[in-house]
PDB file of all heavy atoms in Angstrom:
ATOM      1  N   SER A  23      50.732 -27.559  -9.682  1.00 89.00           N
ATOM      2  CA  SER A  23      51.974 -27.281 -10.417  1.00 89.00           C
ATOM      3  C   SER A  23      51.692 -26.957 -11.879  1.00 89.00           C
ATOM      4  O   SER A  23      52.383 -26.139 -12.478  1.00 89.00           O
ATOM      5  CB  SER A  23      52.941 -28.460 -10.290  1.00 89.00           C
ATOM      6  OG  SER A  23      52.425 -29.598 -10.933  1.00 89.00           O
ATOM      7  N   ALA A  24      50.653 -27.564 -12.453  1.00 89.00           N
ATOM      8  CA  ALA A  24      50.281 -27.226 -13.830  1.00 89.00           C
ATOM      9  C   ALA A  24      49.787 -25.784 -13.909  1.00 89.00           C
ATOM     10  O   ALA A  24      50.089 -25.066 -14.870  1.00 89.00           O
ATOM     11  CB  ALA A  24      49.208 -28.183 -14.339  1.00 89.00           C
ATOM     12  N   LEU A  25      49.044 -25.352 -12.896  1.00 88.00           N
ATOM     13  CA  LEU A  25      48.585 -23.959 -12.867  1.00 88.00           C
ATOM     14  C   LEU A  25      49.763 -22.999 -12.743  1.00 88.00           C
ATOM     15  O   LEU A  25      49.797 -21.953 -13.389  1.00 88.00           O
ATOM     16  CB  LEU A  25      47.603 -23.740 -11.710  1.00 88.00           C
ATOM     17  CG  LEU A  25      46.208 -24.325 -11.880  1.00 88.00           C
ATOM     18  CD1 LEU A  25      45.422 -24.209 -10.584  1.00 88.00           C
ATOM     19  CD2 LEU A  25      45.479 -23.651 -13.017  1.00 88.00           C
ATOM     20  N   LEU A  26      50.721 -23.362 -11.905  1.00 86.00           N
ATOM     21  CA  LEU A  26      51.903 -22.511 -11.768  1.00 86.00           C
ATOM     22  C   LEU A  26      52.702 -22.483 -13.065  1.00 86.00           C
ATOM     23  O   LEU A  26      53.227 -21.444 -13.455  1.00 86.00           O
ATOM     24  CB  LEU A  26      52.771 -23.001 -10.603  1.00 86.00           C
ATOM     25  CG  LEU A  26      52.210 -22.733  -9.219  1.00 86.00           C
ATOM     26  CD1 LEU A  26      53.071 -23.383  -8.148  1.00 86.00           C
ATOM     27  CD2 LEU A  26      52.060 -21.259  -8.968  1.00 86.00           C
ATOM     28  N   GLY A  27      52.792 -23.618 -13.757  1.00 86.00           N
ATOM     29  CA  GLY A  27      53.463 -23.647 -15.052  1.00 86.00           C
ATOM     30  C   GLY A  27      52.728 -22.818 -16.088  1.00 86.00           C
ATOM     31  O   GLY A  27      53.343 -22.120 -16.905  1.00 86.00           O
ATOM     32  N   PHE A  28      51.408 -22.857 -16.036  1.00 85.00           N
ATOM     33  CA  PHE A  28      50.589 -22.054 -16.952  1.00 85.00           C
ATOM     34  C   PHE A  28      50.817 -20.567 -16.709  1.00 85.00           C
ATOM     35  O   PHE A  28      50.843 -19.772 -17.647  1.00 85.00           O
ATOM     36  CB  PHE A  28      49.118 -22.414 -16.771  1.00 85.00           C
ATOM     37  CG  PHE A  28      48.179 -21.585 -17.578  1.00 85.00           C
ATOM     38  CD1 PHE A  28      48.059 -21.763 -18.946  1.00 85.00           C
ATOM     39  CD2 PHE A  28      47.406 -20.600 -16.970  1.00 85.00           C
ATOM     40  CE1 PHE A  28      47.190 -20.994 -19.687  1.00 85.00           C
ATOM     41  CE2 PHE A  28      46.538 -19.819 -17.706  1.00 85.00           C
ATOM     42  CZ  PHE A  28      46.433 -20.019 -19.072  1.00 85.00           C
ATOM     43  N   SER A  29      50.996 -20.199 -15.437  1.00 83.00           N
ATOM     44  CA  SER A  29      51.168 -18.778 -15.121  1.00 83.00           C
ATOM     45  C   SER A  29      52.495 -18.226 -15.633  1.00 83.00           C
ATOM     46  O   SER A  29      52.669 -17.018 -15.708  1.00 83.00           O
ATOM     47  CB  SER A  29      51.061 -18.558 -13.608  1.00 83.00           C
ATOM     48  OG  SER A  29      52.172 -19.121 -12.951  1.00 83.00           O
ATOM     49  N   GLN A  30      53.426 -19.082 -15.985  1.00 84.00           N
ATOM     50  CA  GLN A  30      54.725 -18.634 -16.468  1.00 84.00           C
ATOM     51  C   GLN A  30      54.768 -18.478 -17.987  1.00 84.00           C
ATOM     52  O   GLN A  30      55.801 -18.135 -18.543  1.00 84.00           O
ATOM     53  CB  GLN A  30      55.815 -19.601 -15.999  1.00 84.00           C
ATOM     54  CG  GLN A  30      55.949 -19.610 -14.492  1.00 84.00           C
ATOM     55  CD  GLN A  30      56.881 -20.694 -13.992  1.00 84.00           C
ATOM     56  OE1 GLN A  30      57.393 -21.488 -14.767  1.00 84.00           O
ATOM     57  NE2 GLN A  30      57.079 -20.725 -12.683  1.00 84.00           N
ATOM     58  N   GLN A  31      53.651 -18.725 -18.649  1.00 83.00           N
ATOM     59  CA  GLN A  31      53.589 -18.548 -20.097  1.00 83.00           C
ATOM     60  C   GLN A  31      53.526 -17.055 -20.417  1.00 83.00           C
ATOM     61  O   GLN A  31      52.987 -16.259 -19.656  1.00 83.00           O
ATOM     62  CB  GLN A  31      52.362 -19.264 -20.676  1.00 83.00           C
ATOM     63  CG  GLN A  31      52.334 -20.755 -20.396  1.00 83.00           C
ATOM     64  CD  GLN A  31      53.495 -21.481 -21.024  1.00 83.00           C
ATOM     65  OE1 GLN A  31      53.875 -21.210 -22.147  1.00 83.00           O
ATOM     66  NE2 GLN A  31      54.085 -22.412 -20.281  1.00 83.00           N
ATOM     67  N   GLU A  32      54.030 -16.697 -21.550  1.00 83.00           N
ATOM     68  CA  GLU A  32      54.124 -15.284 -21.921  1.00 83.00           C
ATOM     69  C   GLU A  32      52.769 -14.655 -22.248  1.00 83.00           C
ATOM     70  O   GLU A  32      52.567 -13.468 -22.050  1.00 83.00           O
ATOM     71  CB  GLU A  32      55.050 -15.128 -23.128  1.00 83.00           C
ATOM     72  CG  GLU A  32      56.491 -15.424 -22.813  1.00 83.00           C
ATOM     73  CD  GLU A  32      57.379 -15.257 -24.032  1.00 83.00           C
ATOM     74  OE1 GLU A  32      56.948 -14.624 -25.010  1.00 83.00           O
ATOM     75  OE2 GLU A  32      58.503 -15.769 -23.991  1.00 83.00           O
ATOM     76  N   PHE A  33      51.824 -15.434 -22.741  1.00 85.00           N
ATOM     77  CA  PHE A  33      50.542 -14.875 -23.178  1.00 85.00           C
ATOM     78  C   PHE A  33      49.551 -14.675 -22.038  1.00 85.00           C
ATOM     79  O   PHE A  33      48.484 -14.109 -22.240  1.00 85.00           O
ATOM     80  CB  PHE A  33      49.911 -15.768 -24.257  1.00 85.00           C
ATOM     81  CG  PHE A  33      49.618 -17.170 -23.787  1.00 85.00           C
ATOM     82  CD1 PHE A  33      48.423 -17.475 -23.154  1.00 85.00           C
ATOM     83  CD2 PHE A  33      50.538 -18.185 -23.988  1.00 85.00           C
ATOM     84  CE1 PHE A  33      48.157 -18.752 -22.729  1.00 85.00           C
ATOM     85  CE2 PHE A  33      50.279 -19.475 -23.570  1.00 85.00           C
ATOM     86  CZ  PHE A  33      49.082 -19.767 -22.931  1.00 85.00           C
ATOM     87  N   VAL A  34      49.881 -15.102 -20.819  1.00 81.00           N
ATOM     88  CA  VAL A  34      48.966 -15.002 -19.692  1.00 81.00           C
ATOM     89  C   VAL A  34      48.979 -13.578 -19.149  1.00 81.00           C
ATOM     90  O   VAL A  34      50.050 -13.024 -18.874  1.00 81.00           O
ATOM     91  CB  VAL A  34      49.355 -16.013 -18.587  1.00 81.00           C
ATOM     92  CG1 VAL A  34      48.429 -15.889 -17.399  1.00 81.00           C
ATOM     93  CG2 VAL A  34      49.325 -17.430 -19.141  1.00 81.00           C
ATOM     94  N   PRO A  35      47.805 -12.958 -18.984  1.00 87.00           N
ATOM     95  CA  PRO A  35      47.751 -11.581 -18.454  1.00 87.00           C
ATOM     96  C   PRO A  35      48.287 -11.504 -17.016  1.00 87.00           C
ATOM     97  O   PRO A  35      48.249 -12.478 -16.268  1.00 87.00           O
ATOM     98  CB  PRO A  35      46.263 -11.237 -18.493  1.00 87.00           C
ATOM     99  CG  PRO A  35      45.647 -12.229 -19.395  1.00 87.00           C
ATOM    100  CD  PRO A  35      46.494 -13.446 -19.380  1.00 87.00           C
ATOM    101  N   ASN A  36      48.755 -10.338 -16.655  1.00 86.00           N
ATOM    102  CA  ASN A  36      49.349 -10.136 -15.329  1.00 86.00           C
ATOM    103  C   ASN A  36      48.353 -10.403 -14.202  1.00 86.00           C
ATOM    104  O   ASN A  36      48.730 -10.919 -13.155  1.00 86.00           O
ATOM    105  CB  ASN A  36      49.908  -8.719 -15.200  1.00 86.00           C
ATOM    106  CG  ASN A  36      51.177  -8.541 -16.007  1.00 86.00           C
ATOM    107  OD1 ASN A  36      51.861  -9.513 -16.297  1.00 86.00           O
ATOM    108  ND2 ASN A  36      51.478  -7.304 -16.369  1.00 86.00           N
ATOM    109  N   LEU A  37      47.096 -10.044 -14.394  1.00 86.00           N
ATOM    110  CA  LEU A  37      46.085 -10.277 -13.365  1.00 86.00           C
ATOM    111  C   LEU A  37      45.951 -11.770 -13.079  1.00 86.00           C
ATOM    112  O   LEU A  37      45.878 -12.195 -11.920  1.00 86.00           O
ATOM    113  CB  LEU A  37      44.742  -9.687 -13.801  1.00 86.00           C
ATOM    114  CG  LEU A  37      43.576  -9.914 -12.850  1.00 86.00           C
ATOM    115  CD1 LEU A  37      43.853  -9.232 -11.510  1.00 86.00           C
ATOM    116  CD2 LEU A  37      42.288  -9.418 -13.462  1.00 86.00           C
ATOM    117  N   VAL A  38      45.939 -12.578 -14.128  1.00 85.00           N
ATOM    118  CA  VAL A  38      45.841 -14.032 -13.960  1.00 85.00           C
ATOM    119  C   VAL A  38      47.088 -14.569 -13.269  1.00 85.00           C
ATOM    120  O   VAL A  38      47.007 -15.446 -12.397  1.00 85.00           O
ATOM    121  CB  VAL A  38      45.599 -14.725 -15.326  1.00 85.00           C
ATOM    122  CG1 VAL A  38      45.619 -16.235 -15.183  1.00 85.00           C
ATOM    123  CG2 VAL A  38      44.292 -14.261 -15.934  1.00 85.00           C
ATOM    124  N   ILE A  39      48.247 -14.036 -13.610  1.00 85.00           N
ATOM    125  CA  ILE A  39      49.496 -14.467 -12.981  1.00 85.00           C
ATOM    126  C   ILE A  39      49.459 -14.167 -11.482  1.00 85.00           C
ATOM    127  O   ILE A  39      49.833 -15.008 -10.656  1.00 85.00           O
ATOM    128  CB  ILE A  39      50.708 -13.780 -13.649  1.00 85.00           C
ATOM    129  CG1 ILE A  39      50.872 -14.293 -15.077  1.00 85.00           C
ATOM    130  CG2 ILE A  39      51.981 -13.997 -12.853  1.00 85.00           C
ATOM    131  CD1 ILE A  39      51.900 -13.542 -15.891  1.00 85.00           C
ATOM    132  N   CYS A  40      48.980 -12.993 -11.114  1.00 86.00           N
ATOM    133  CA  CYS A  40      48.879 -12.629  -9.695  1.00 86.00           C
ATOM    134  C   CYS A  40      47.883 -13.529  -8.964  1.00 86.00           C
ATOM    135  O   CYS A  40      48.156 -13.982  -7.845  1.00 86.00           O
ATOM    136  CB  CYS A  40      48.469 -11.169  -9.541  1.00 86.00           C
ATOM    137  SG  CYS A  40      49.751 -10.017 -10.054  1.00 86.00           S
ATOM    138  N   MET A  41      46.735 -13.782  -9.579  1.00 86.00           N
ATOM    139  CA  MET A  41      45.744 -14.663  -8.963  1.00 86.00           C
ATOM    140  C   MET A  41      46.316 -16.062  -8.749  1.00 86.00           C
ATOM    141  O   MET A  41      46.130 -16.660  -7.693  1.00 86.00           O
ATOM    142  CB  MET A  41      44.480 -14.734  -9.820  1.00 86.00           C
ATOM    143  CG  MET A  41      43.611 -13.520  -9.729  1.00 86.00           C
ATOM    144  SD  MET A  41      42.145 -13.623 -10.784  1.00 86.00           S
ATOM    145  CE  MET A  41      41.433 -15.160 -10.284  1.00 86.00           C
ATOM    146  N   LEU A  42      46.996 -16.592  -9.766  1.00 85.00           N
ATOM    147  CA  LEU A  42      47.577 -17.924  -9.645  1.00 85.00           C
ATOM    148  C   LEU A  42      48.702 -17.959  -8.617  1.00 85.00           C
ATOM    149  O   LEU A  42      48.892 -18.968  -7.932  1.00 85.00           O
ATOM    150  CB  LEU A  42      48.076 -18.407 -11.004  1.00 85.00           C
ATOM    151  CG  LEU A  42      46.983 -18.768 -12.020  1.00 85.00           C
ATOM    152  CD1 LEU A  42      47.596 -19.082 -13.366  1.00 85.00           C
ATOM    153  CD2 LEU A  42      46.145 -19.925 -11.527  1.00 85.00           C
ATOM    154  N   ALA A  43      49.454 -16.878  -8.496  1.00 84.00           N
ATOM    155  CA  ALA A  43      50.543 -16.835  -7.525  1.00 84.00           C
ATOM    156  C   ALA A  43      50.015 -16.897  -6.097  1.00 84.00           C
ATOM    157  O   ALA A  43      50.605 -17.566  -5.243  1.00 84.00           O
ATOM    158  CB  ALA A  43      51.371 -15.573  -7.734  1.00 84.00           C
ATOM    159  N   PHE A  44      48.921 -16.202  -5.818  1.00 87.00           N
ATOM    160  CA  PHE A  44      48.403 -16.149  -4.456  1.00 87.00           C
ATOM    161  C   PHE A  44      47.379 -17.248  -4.145  1.00 87.00           C
ATOM    162  O   PHE A  44      47.276 -17.691  -3.015  1.00 87.00           O
ATOM    163  CB  PHE A  44      47.769 -14.775  -4.180  1.00 87.00           C
ATOM    164  CG  PHE A  44      48.776 -13.677  -4.084  1.00 87.00           C
ATOM    165  CD1 PHE A  44      48.879 -12.733  -5.089  1.00 87.00           C
ATOM    166  CD2 PHE A  44      49.635 -13.590  -2.998  1.00 87.00           C
ATOM    167  CE1 PHE A  44      49.812 -11.719  -5.006  1.00 87.00           C
ATOM    168  CE2 PHE A  44      50.570 -12.581  -2.902  1.00 87.00           C
ATOM    169  CZ  PHE A  44      50.658 -11.644  -3.920  1.00 87.00           C
ATOM    170  N   TYR A  45      46.603 -17.672  -5.138  1.00 88.00           N
ATOM    171  CA  TYR A  45      45.479 -18.575  -4.876  1.00 88.00           C
ATOM    172  C   TYR A  45      45.566 -19.885  -5.654  1.00 88.00           C
ATOM    173  O   TYR A  45      44.542 -20.513  -5.917  1.00 88.00           O
ATOM    174  CB  TYR A  45      44.154 -17.882  -5.223  1.00 88.00           C
ATOM    175  CG  TYR A  45      43.928 -16.626  -4.430  1.00 88.00           C
ATOM    176  CD1 TYR A  45      43.998 -15.382  -5.042  1.00 88.00           C
ATOM    177  CD2 TYR A  45      43.651 -16.683  -3.065  1.00 88.00           C
ATOM    178  CE1 TYR A  45      43.790 -14.222  -4.318  1.00 88.00           C
ATOM    179  CE2 TYR A  45      43.450 -15.527  -2.333  1.00 88.00           C
ATOM    180  CZ  TYR A  45      43.517 -14.308  -2.971  1.00 88.00           C
ATOM    181  OH  TYR A  45      43.313 -13.162  -2.242  1.00 88.00           O
ATOM    182  N   HIS A  46      46.762 -20.326  -6.037  1.00 86.00           N
ATOM    183  CA  HIS A  46      46.856 -21.529  -6.864  1.00 86.00           C
ATOM    184  C   HIS A  46      46.317 -22.767  -6.143  1.00 86.00           C
ATOM    185  O   HIS A  46      45.737 -23.635  -6.774  1.00 86.00           O
ATOM    186  CB  HIS A  46      48.282 -21.755  -7.364  1.00 86.00           C
ATOM    187  CG  HIS A  46      49.303 -21.786  -6.286  1.00 86.00           C
ATOM    188  ND1 HIS A  46      49.890 -20.640  -5.812  1.00 86.00           N
ATOM    189  CD2 HIS A  46      49.840 -22.804  -5.591  1.00 86.00           C
ATOM    190  CE1 HIS A  46      50.752 -20.954  -4.866  1.00 86.00           C
ATOM    191  NE2 HIS A  46      50.743 -22.263  -4.711  1.00 86.00           N
ATOM    192  N   GLY A  47      46.452 -22.854  -4.823  1.00 87.00           N
ATOM    193  CA  GLY A  47      45.903 -23.993  -4.078  1.00 87.00           C
ATOM    194  C   GLY A  47      44.388 -24.022  -4.121  1.00 87.00           C
ATOM    195  O   GLY A  47      43.780 -25.068  -4.366  1.00 87.00           O
ATOM    196  N   GLU A  48      43.764 -22.867  -3.898  1.00 90.00           N
ATOM    197  CA  GLU A  48      42.309 -22.787  -3.914  1.00 90.00           C
ATOM    198  C   GLU A  48      41.748 -23.012  -5.321  1.00 90.00           C
ATOM    199  O   GLU A  48      40.732 -23.687  -5.501  1.00 90.00           O
ATOM    200  CB  GLU A  48      41.834 -21.428  -3.380  1.00 90.00           C
ATOM    201  CG  GLU A  48      42.035 -21.241  -1.893  1.00 90.00           C
ATOM    202  CD  GLU A  48      43.435 -20.759  -1.530  1.00 90.00           C
ATOM    203  OE1 GLU A  48      44.292 -20.640  -2.443  1.00 90.00           O
ATOM    204  OE2 GLU A  48      43.692 -20.531  -0.347  1.00 90.00           O
ATOM    205  N   ILE A  49      42.430 -22.445  -6.307  1.00 90.00           N
ATOM    206  CA  ILE A  49      41.981 -22.625  -7.696  1.00 90.00           C
ATOM    207  C   ILE A  49      42.092 -24.085  -8.100  1.00 90.00           C
ATOM    208  O   ILE A  49      41.184 -24.637  -8.733  1.00 90.00           O
ATOM    209  CB  ILE A  49      42.772 -21.704  -8.647  1.00 90.00           C
ATOM    210  CG1 ILE A  49      42.443 -20.252  -8.351  1.00 90.00           C
ATOM    211  CG2 ILE A  49      42.473 -22.039 -10.108  1.00 90.00           C
ATOM    212  CD1 ILE A  49      43.321 -19.244  -9.064  1.00 90.00           C
TER     213      ILE A  49
END
């Protein structure tokens, strides 16, 4: 959930947001 919260920050690049959206469990 912290990773998902991090992905919602404005400064996070889109590639990182996509990676976190699909692979947040593995990460």
